[in-house]
Amino acid sequence: MFGDRRLTTVWTMACIGSGRLCARVEKLCQLGHNLQARRKASFVKFKELNLHQNARILPESCQAGRRAPGYSRHCRAISSMRTQQPGSQPQPQSVDPYVLLYDDLKHIYEDIREELQKNTKIPELQSIATYYFGGQGKALRPMVAILMARAINYHLYKENSLLAPQRQVAMISEMIHSASLIHDDVIDQSDIRRGKPSVNALWNHKKVAMAGDFILAVASMMIARLRNNDVTLTLSQVVTDLVQGEFMQLGSKETENERFAHYLTKTYRKTASLIANSVKATAMLAGADDALAEVVFQYGRNVGLAFQLVDDLLDFVSSSDAMGKPTAADLKLGLATAPVLFACEKYPELNPMIMRRFQEPGDVERAFELVHKSQGLEQTRFLARNHCIEAVRHASSLVESPYQKGLTVITDLVLNRMK
Ligand code: FPP
Ligand code: MG
């Protein structure tokens, strides 16, 4: 998909000076997923999805034609036809995903807390494990998962409903994310997250690490309850990616080329894999075929990469108050993210600083200044924007619906967020 010439040109432009590298790394990022996708997937039958008492099952008649060849092309054609048909449902020009999914999301943190609490009677473990589910988060992952689930249900069956197992995936996604943040806060020794003391600032490190494991264990039980091997494999891949991404972050590479490749692979594993595989899981639960699951995965992968690029950018431009966590934190942790890597092209004096992980007095301040003097921030935003364009391209191959439009709106939120 990324082999075509037009896209290579986009990446070349995006990377400004690191074009060949980015195109190559795109392929690298793809590799892990393709290996997984090549395994023969056997999708569950839609009528077997009644795993939850409240599961809303879509009509059987809607199953027809879900594996037609040339599927996404066909869907795009249908999508444009639909907009021209007299009497077809008027679609809102712009949708607010938070409003659109209000009912789906309003109890999501409560439901996660309940799931965690019912699996332990140890009050302190309950408190630590539920601490990051207080509702201060953006709920980006559940929102994207549910939007995609609904967009796919509409795409395949013209149904405006959400399956209970798909909502479970949204919860699982947020739980894996929070478990990783808990571990991350211990590793980074951070004091503050989402404007509150971070979990490790309030409780003993050993207990905090175990609470992170506990969340992951409960999420694993929820995955098992979905009784779908392909979904289990897809969501388990996320955890291996997260650990490897975090592990990669602890190391540095010698050459500029290697460094950018390392950074992008790390970014995919640390951030994009969770979003990509979660949306893919919701599509698999709807009975999507391999080609459609791939479109969905690519949407999530691009949104995830854009999200992290913007996060890395905000670390240089946003105030700690807005972010709810300290700024220039990455440099202080010794991390060279996209803005620094781009800045390096103009200011090679950053190279030795990167190698010593900004440890010498004055390194953090000097690197911060050079990033601002360079085009690094603009180039990072440009790259993020290109990932958003790619995400929109994938979303637009789905049948038009408010949820499909919501998927596009998400890319704007990701690109223009201030925190
Ligand atoms: C935040 O990064 C951290 C992550 C996105 C993933 C961290 C992953 C692990 C610690 C591996 C273990 C995973 C599990 C599931 C137990 P950041 O430090 O760049 O962002 P921040 O500024 O929000 O802290
Ligand atoms: Mg951190």
Side-chain angles (χ1 to χ4, degrees):
M1 192 170 294
F2 286 96
D4 79 43
R5 215 174 288 152
R6 191 171 55 82
L7 270 165
T8 309
T9 312
V10 169
W11 294 117
T12 308
M13 283 156 57
C15 297
I16 311 172
S18 308
R20 263 185 312 119
L21 187 61
C22 281
R24 217 181 63 228
V25 174
E26 276 306 306
K27 284 197 187 118
L28 274 175
C29 291
Q30 282 279 96
L31 205 72
H33 168 65
N34 286 347
L35 282 173
Q36 205 191 337
R38 249 179 269 137
R39 282 189 215 116
K40 194 86 201 114
S42 62
F43 293 103
V44 283
K45 287 204 179 75
F46 218 77
K47 62 182 172 188
E48 288 171 3
L49 290 172
N50 197 0
L51 306 171
H52 191 283
Q53 279 185 336
N54 300 324
R56 272 169 285 175
I57 301 301
L58 310 186
E60 254 179 272
S61 58
C62 294
Q63 291 178 43
R66 64 185 150 99
R67 280 173 191 251
Y71 197 59
S72 53
R73 233 183 7 258
H74 172 69
C75 294
R76 207 172 306 141
I78 290 179
S79 167
S80 53
M81 264 160 46
R82 275 176 55 80
T83 56
Q84 294 155 17
Q85 277 166 9
S88 67
Q89 281 280 90
Q91 300 289 340
Q93 280 313 297
S94 126
V95 291
D96 179 342
Y98 284 100
V99 174
L100 195 61
L101 301 188
Y102 179 77
D103 285 335
D104 296 328
L105 289 172
K106 68 182 171 195
H107 296 307
I108 203 126
Y109 285 115
E110 211 176 302
D111 293 347
I112 293 174
R113 288 200 303 271
E114 202 182 301
E115 195 67 52
L116 292 168
Q117 276 157 351
K118 77 178 184 209
N119 279 289
T120 176
K121 290 194 165 55
I122 303 172
E124 197 178 18
L125 182 55
Q126 287 184 338
S127 306
I128 307 173
T130 55
Y131 184 68
Y132 281 157
F133 300 106
Q136 288 86 1
K138 292 183 272 289
L140 174 79
R141 288 149 192 88
M143 186 163 66
V144 176
I146 294 177
L147 267 183
M148 183 58 86
R150 285 186 172 276
I152 288 292
N153 295 349
Y154 191 83
H155 177 84
L156 289 173
Y157 312 104
K158 304 286 178 296
E159 271 289 339
N160 280 309
S161 58
L162 177 70
L163 293 166
Q166 291 174 321
R167 190 168 180 279
Q168 289 285 301
V169 169
M171 287 167 64
I172 291 163
S173 179
E174 188 69 1
M175 290 168 80
I176 296 175
H177 173 57
S178 292
S180 80
L181 291 185
I182 287 182
H183 281 242
D184 180 71
D185 284 344
V186 172
I187 295 166
D188 291 352
Q189 300 177 1
S190 60
D191 303 321
I192 180 161
R193 175 171 299 280
R194 297 170 185 160
K196 291 200 311 185
S198 43
V199 71
N200 51 301
L202 297 177
W203 287 279
N204 164 301
H205 286 185
K206 294 178 187 173
K207 289 180 176 173
V208 167
M210 283 185 287
D213 294 340
F214 176 74
I215 298 172
L216 210 52
V218 174
S220 305
M221 291 197 282
M222 291 164 70
I223 295 173
R225 266 187 243 129
L226 298 175
R227 299 192 194 289
N228 181 315
N229 286 344
D230 292 314
V231 168
T232 301
L233 279 170
T234 300
L235 294 174
S236 305
Q237 179 68 45
V238 172
V239 183
T240 64
D241 283 338
L242 277 167
V243 172
Q244 292 181 88
E246 190 71 7
F247 211 88
M248 285 177 79
Q249 190 168 283
L250 299 173
S252 340
K253 291 285 169 201
E254 298 260 338
T255 68
E256 259 177 74
N257 274 12
E258 277 182 326
R259 246 182 245 141
F260 217 97
H262 188 263
Y263 166 78
L264 287 178
T265 307
K266 184 264 321 173
T267 301
Y268 166 72
R269 289 179 170 167
K270 237 187 87 172
T271 309
S273 169
L274 175 60
I275 300 176
N277 284 301
S278 300
V279 288
K280 183 181 170 189
T282 67
M284 290 164 108
L285 285 165
D289 65 9
D290 288 2
L292 182 57
E294 177 64 18
V295 167
V296 167
F297 175 90
Q298 291 301 339
Y299 169 84
R301 187 183 77 93
N302 281 289
V303 165
L305 291 173
F307 180 86
Q308 190 58 50
L309 284 162
V310 172
D311 212 61
D312 294 345
L313 175 83
L314 290 176
D315 200 43
F316 285 88
V317 297
S318 193
S319 70
S320 347
D321 278 354
M323 292 293 278
K325 59 186 181 184
T327 43
D330 292 335
L331 288 176
K332 289 175 197 155
L333 286 167
L335 306 178
T337 57
V340 184
L341 298 177
F342 280 126
C344 232
E345 290 173 7
K346 187 162 181 196
Y347 297 107
E349 69 174 281
L350 281 164
N351 279 311
M353 290 188 224
I354 293 172
M355 286 317 292
R356 59 180 183 253
R357 296 180 78 90
F358 312 103
Q359 288 301 299
E360 283 190 9
D363 278 358
V364 168
E365 293 74 13
R366 180 72 182 142
F368 192 83
E369 187 190 333
L370 292 177
V371 165
H372 278 275
K373 277 169 71 177
S374 75
Q375 295 292 302
L377 296 170
E378 290 81 356
Q379 285 168 302
T380 303
R381 184 171 289 282
F382 194 73
L383 185 54
R385 184 175 295 120
N386 278 289
H387 281 293
C388 286
I389 290 169
E390 265 306 280
V392 169
R393 191 173 72 83
H394 285 98
S396 61
S397 66
L398 303 179
V399 171
E400 208 173 295
S401 70
Y403 315 110
Q404 180 256 13
K405 282 180 192 274
L407 291 170
T408 297
V409 174
I410 289 287
T411 64
D412 281 336
L413 297 180
V414 162
L415 197 60
N416 299 314
R417 73 196 175 100
M418 300 303 286
K419 60 176 195 168

